[in-house]
Amino acid sequence: MQTVLSGSRPTGLFHLGNYFGAIANYVKMQDDFDNCYFFIADYHSFTTHTDPLVLPQHVKRAMATYLACGLDPNKASVYVQSDVPEIPELYLLLAMFANKGELEKCTTFKEKARQKGQTLNAGLLTYPVLMAADILVHRAHKVPVGKDQMQHLEMARNFAQRFNHHYDTDFLVLPEAFSYTEELIKILSLDGTGSKMSKSDNNVNNAVFLTDTDEAILKKLKKATADAGPQEPNAQKSDAVQGLFNLMQLVSKPETLAEFEAAYNDCSIRYGDLKVQLGKDMVDYVGPIRDKIAELESKPSYLKEVAAAGAETARKSGRETLDGVREIMGINYFA
Ligand code: TRP
């Protein structure tokens, strides 16, 4: 049996990149694999000090978003990291298998270190250890993550391998990255620069969020950057125009996409028409998800129930791993 695990930090704003790059794949995986865990990494978000008044809203929104996008508590355990004390317990033990040097060499850490200098907290340094604990605690085989998390995943494999080697066991599973397609369709910023859609972009108009109103979605797409138009038949697309076509591929009917592709290739395309069509199709796609998020957010007791059930399953699985790890390490003194 293959175990699947993934998660994301509760940042409050989920955009199309999070949806098509992550959540939509989780939803697919819960049908294709029997043992799935999807969680909200709230402990990870403390590395960048959170506001106690805002954090609960973000966690609630993350849970509502997971469910609104189609995660089904009957098919997968959906839980909050801090509800599962087995994760920090394993984190402590795994920390003994992480080298300070390799943690300092981690790209995400180096970036933060450059920005923050000496005020950096130790939680940031050990971020990959906590992430490894998230994964190894369920002995997960497959972890759907994007490119930006590959190094962290590699570190999780290293910690597990070192543990296994030291104790001459194969108890911890070495997790592998998982993706349905070789090349993910890139969700690009609407500003046409070719960068990825991002929630930390200082212009909110460059991303479509799952909680955007119809008006906001239409306006953002109408204002999206295009280019001067194809100068010759079958011209290569600029980043700006490719980004719009990528979105169309994800939310519009295949016929619609084909029609605009043909118009682009014979230079008869009018970007205004493309943006209006894409806007409509985007509203049809995102609108129901947004409404479902709102509906679920108005039912905190339901969300609490789902989180409790998810945590129970996750704790059971986590406990089994911890029992094994403690036994292997000799933490069993008075037997
Ligand atoms: N670090 C991941 C991110 O920033 C979130 C995360 C935490 C995660 N623990 C994980 C992802 C375990 C996959 C598996 O997106």
Side-chain angles (χ1 to χ4, degrees), residues 15 21 45 47 50 60 70 75 81 86 130 164 166-167 181 190 200 214 257 260 279 281:
H15 54 68
S45 57
T47 51
T50 52
K60 236 183 286 170
K75 295 180 185 167
Q81 187 183 32
E86 287 74 15
L130 182 56
N164 284 350
H166 182 80
Y167 293 106
T181 48
L190 299 178
S200 46
D214 289 354
L257 176 67
F260 282 95
D281 294 340

Side-chain angles (χ1 to χ4, degrees), residues 265-278:
N265 286 330
D266 69 17
C267 303
S268 67
I269 193 162
R270 295 200 335 219
Y271 289 141
D273 296 346
L274 174 119
K275 291 189 203 174
V276 167
Q277 182 68 48
L278 181 57

Side-chain angles (χ1 to χ4, degrees), residues 18-19 32 34 85 120 126 137 144 149 172 182 204 240 247-248 275 285 298-299:
N18 305 125
Y19 179 79
D32 293 345
D34 288 326
L120 204 81
T126 58
V137 83
Q149 296 297 316
L172 290 181
E182 279 290 311
V204 291
L247 291 178
M248 189 165 249
K275 291 189 203 174
Y285 199 97
S298 73
K299 293 180 185 158

Side-chain angles (χ1 to χ4, degrees), residues 97-112:
F97 295 88
N99 301 329
K100 173 170 167 279
E102 79 188 319
L103 295 173
E104 282 171 345
K105 263 189 260 158
C106 179
T107 310
T108 44
F109 177 78
K110 282 202 294 197
E111 265 166 35
K112 290 273 158 38

Side-chain angles (χ1 to χ4, degrees), residues 23 35 63 71 81 88 103 127 132 184 199 202 233 269 276:
I23 309 176
N35 204 24
M63 184 56 97
L71 279 188
Q81 187 183 32
L103 295 173
Y127 187 109
L184 284 180
K199 50 194 151 199
N202 44 27
I269 193 162
V276 167

